[in-house]
Amino acid sequence: MKNNLYYPKISLSDEDIFLEIKKEREEIGYYSLPYYDTNNIKNELNKLDFKQKNIAIIGIGGSTLGTFAIYNFLKYHKQKNKSLKKEIFFFESTDPVNLNGTISQFNLEDTLFIVISKSGTTIETISIFKYLMSITKIDKSNLLVITENDSKLNAFANANDIKTFDIPKNVGGRFSVLSNVGLVPLYLAGFDIDELLKGSRHISTSFFEQYELYTHLIKKARTYYEYKDVYNINAVFSYSQLLEGFNKWYIQLWGESLGKIDANSTNQGLTPIGLLGPVDQHSFLQLIVEGKRDKTVTFIKIKDFKDDTKIAPTTLQGLEELDYINNLDFKKLINLQADATIASVKEYKKDIPIDLIEIEDISEFEIGKLLFYYELLTSIVGKFLRINTYDQPGVEGGKIILKEMLKKKN
């Protein structure tokens, strides 16, 4: 009789977790991405010398969300400084109204198309790609492919003499933003990819050299783990519309990585929620403050918005009592709104776990830090939960069923 027992350790020390993460770094590819030498990719793209005004990224999930997070965070600042070389549009959804609505926003004939799929057979991506090819000319002069080097999409690219960029096999899609998946389109659009990686290296070095972030990240991950059965919903409350893309990326990263069955056949998972301030303080905040105590909240603020727009010093008849806001910078207003919300949760409702992340400014360096911080945090929480952070069997099942349904339909 064979009897295998897979009980997780009752008590995991911080050193145990750290050693496991260090060992995992030898196999899981995203850990090495901050140290990537960008000279080769920049040289190759410079030689291609694409003149198109726009970039259209065709992909879904990990192929687009990270790039959109960075683009959405930086694009207005880049436009203001006139350093945005190309505008990026994203094709993710098979919603036909959204598809054609996106197409109507720019000139297809002045567009570089980038198809991104790690497997190369993603139904949504290939469906949209086929449609776009049917309505405009797409060939090696205006197309790049980013995929695994042995995928069917790569075979298509090779057969049509289309330039390809590789996605490493040991880098999962939702952890791939600092690979060619994000670096290629962002560099072409005028973003400083070296600063992006420098920011991520800052986080990596601080943790693995056991500087200040080592204790912080281990403690934060342990808190999520030890209180997972009480506070199993984790809300990120970002005080800027610029972080809307980050929120979406975080939801995929957290949900798809941590919603798993552990070695003891127990269903695990922490539910991510992305909120935007000040908008959601007029709605979801009510649930946080007076609702069920099942949520942690991470507030994210931007210290310097690099924008000095002020509230006009105008007196409105009947609203004179609000003149105290006159001449106030909007950047100060939004951060005061964040501070007031944090105080209301922290001072009056002491049974709600909260923490604060402050971003110095709007730059590639800062968003690179934030993205790698959350990737690393996700990995550490996964170790505490005793799960495989990097697979997604729950998602793969749906893909298999869809393909079977489509084959029968046709």
Side-chain angles (χ1 to χ4, degrees), residues 191-240:
F191 295 88
D192 191 336
I193 59 176
D194 292 310
E195 278 295 300
L196 183 68
L197 295 183
K198 183 179 177 182
S200 65
R201 280 199 305 275
H202 175 84
I203 299 298
S204 179
T205 300
S206 184
F207 177 76
F208 285 108
E209 296 298 323
Q210 293 185 278
Y211 299 150
E212 58 180 339
L213 272 181
Y214 166 75
T215 302
H216 169 86
L217 282 168
I218 293 286
K219 181 179 179 181
K220 186 170 181 176
R222 180 179 287 281
T223 300
Y224 283 135
Y225 164 66
E226 292 184 347
Y227 291 93
K228 63 184 173 65
D229 295 324
V230 180
Y231 299 103
N232 64 342
I233 298 174
N234 309 131
V236 164
F237 211 141
S238 301
Y239 265 78
S240 173

Side-chain angles (χ1 to χ4, degrees), residues 156-203:
F156 161 82
N158 290 336
N160 290 275
D161 196 26
I162 295 163
K163 177 65 178 176
T164 63
F165 289 87
D166 180 45
I167 304 175
K169 286 187 176 295
N170 63 351
V171 176
R174 58 188 176 275
F175 288 87
S176 67
V177 61
L178 299 177
S179 72
N180 288 328
V181 167
L183 299 183
V184 168
L186 290 169
Y187 178 73
L188 288 170
F191 295 88
D192 191 336
I193 59 176
D194 292 310
E195 278 295 300
L196 183 68
L197 295 183
K198 183 179 177 182
S200 65
R201 280 199 305 275
H202 175 84
I203 299 298

Side-chain angles (χ1 to χ4, degrees), residues 272-309:
I273 295 175
L275 305 172
L276 288 173
V279 176
D280 287 323
Q281 75 184 45
H282 293 270
S283 54
F284 202 92
L285 181 61
Q286 175 65 34
L287 182 63
I288 292 173
V289 173
E290 295 193 338
K292 187 176 179 181
R293 293 300 189 258
D294 56 359
K295 292 170 281 293
T296 66
V297 186
T298 296
F299 292 95
I300 303 180
K301 291 172 54 181
I302 301 173
K303 287 185 177 181
D304 184 3
F305 281 82
K306 297 183 177 180
D307 189 309
D308 296 324
T309 304

Side-chain angles (χ1 to χ4, degrees), residues 85-101:
K85 295 180 180 178
K86 301 179 190 295
E87 193 168 359
I88 304 179
F89 297 87
F90 295 84
F91 288 93
E92 302 172 290
S93 175
T94 52
D95 176 339
V97 176
N98 175 269
L99 174 60
N100 287 301

Side-chain angles (χ1 to χ4, degrees), residues 86-120:
K86 301 179 190 295
E87 193 168 359
I88 304 179
F89 297 87
F90 295 84
F91 288 93
E92 302 172 290
S93 175
T94 52
D95 176 339
V97 176
N98 175 269
L99 174 60
N100 287 301
T102 303
I103 290 171
S104 69
Q105 296 177 34
F106 62 101
N107 181 6
L108 291 178
E109 295 181 0
D110 194 13
T111 298
L112 170 65
F113 297 89
I114 304 179
V115 181
I116 307 176
S117 172
K118 183 172 171 62
S119 68

Side-chain angles (χ1 to χ4, degrees), residues 61 64-75 90 92 177 236 238 240-253 274-276 300 367 370-371:
T64 55
L65 287 174
T67 304
F68 177 71
I70 297 168
Y71 181 71
N72 191 67
F73 183 69
L74 296 169
K75 66 176 180 180
F90 295 84
E92 302 172 290
V177 61
V236 164
S238 301
S240 173
Q241 293 293 133
L242 303 180
L243 290 166
E244 182 178 9
F246 165 78
N247 282 6
K248 292 180 178 179
W249 174 84
Y250 153 75
I251 288 171
Q252 186 205 14
L253 178 73
L275 305 172
L276 288 173
I300 303 180
I367 193 65
L370 184 63
L371 292 171

